[in-house]
Amino acid sequence: MAREIERKFLVEELPGWLEDCERVEIEQGYLAIDADADAEVRLRRAGEELTLTVKRGAGEDRGEYEVTLSPEQMDLLWEACAGRRLRKRRYVVRLDEDLRAEVDVYAGGLEGLRVAEVEFPSAERAAAFRPPDWFGRELTGVRRFANQALAAEGMPEDVGAGAEAGGRDGA
């Protein structure tokens, strides 16, 4: 099992230079979501990469298992995700020598939502991270902004609301 340590932020306004960054179109669908157990089984098409991912845990530190799928396997399983899918464009932004932000710009029913996620090599590095000014309020651990919730439930009502919506320190 791999360990995923990440923090997530709402991005109110995209920086103009973002269009010059590496990007990929992503489609995700959820085969299973168990909010009580903090578990999900997800399919993802990111460019040519096709994966099935199992995640367990919530918040900043989670377990993650990932398997590469063939196009035939992806097509077979994709139908089972009906009603629990999302589309987004992901931009990759280098923050420093060992950190990068993945900025997701959602499409379809989630159009207007933009988030940045930063994955860290350790919990200490995550705790020490100071986000750039263009990151907005922190969303780490806020369930309604988890991709599984976005795919199943749609746009959170408080997109564009102030810091009272919570996050790492206030969820």
Side-chain angles (χ1 to χ4, degrees):
M1 169 182 71
R3 205 169 144 212
E4 178 185 65
I5 302 168
E6 69 181 13
R7 289 176 60 188
K8 186 175 199 170
F9 302 85
L10 186 66
V11 177
E12 295 288 345
E13 190 171 322
L14 295 173
W17 48 260
L18 193 66
E19 283 299 322
D20 297 330
C21 295
E22 172 190 338
R23 64 181 165 265
V24 64
E25 300 295 326
I26 295 175
E27 290 181 287
Q28 283 181 195
Y30 290 83
L31 291 170
I33 300 169
D34 185 343
D36 292 333
D38 290 321
E40 65 186 61
V41 180
R42 174 191 79 200
L43 297 176
R44 176 184 279 172
R45 178 180 287 116
E48 299 298 315
E49 287 185 42
L50 308 174
T51 55
L52 180 142
T53 305
V54 177
K55 292 188 178 191
R56 293 196 54 103
E60 192 175 293
D61 192 349
R62 305 189 315 161
E64 182 177 80
Y65 306 84
E66 193 163 88
V67 177
T68 300
L69 298 177
S70 70
E72 296 78 19
Q73 290 169 319
M74 182 71 165
D75 290 344
L76 180 69
L77 294 169
W78 188 248
E79 291 306 313
C81 298
R84 294 179 312 278
R85 297 179 183 158
L86 58 80
R87 291 181 302 123
K88 59 188 177 181
R89 176 175 290 157
R90 173 167 287 170
Y91 296 88
V92 179
V93 178
R94 291 266 170 224
L95 298 174
D96 63 26
E97 67 279 346
D98 68 334
L99 291 182
R100 66 184 192 161
E102 293 177 338
V103 180
D104 290 341
V105 178
Y106 291 84
L110 297 170
E111 189 161 342
L113 178 60
R114 299 170 299 271
V115 301
E117 294 182 352
V118 182
E119 196 164 321
F120 300 93
S122 69
E124 296 78 21
R125 185 75 166 97
F129 178 69
R130 298 296 168 252
D133 291 342
W134 57 274
F135 280 25
R137 76 178 192 256
E138 185 151 10
L139 302 174
T140 304
V142 180
R143 288 187 193 274
R144 66 188 173 281
F145 285 95
N147 280 307
Q148 61 175 296
L150 295 172
E153 301 164 21
M155 183 76 83
E157 291 181 15
D158 62 340
V159 170
E164 70 276 359
R168 184 171 188 239
D169 298 321

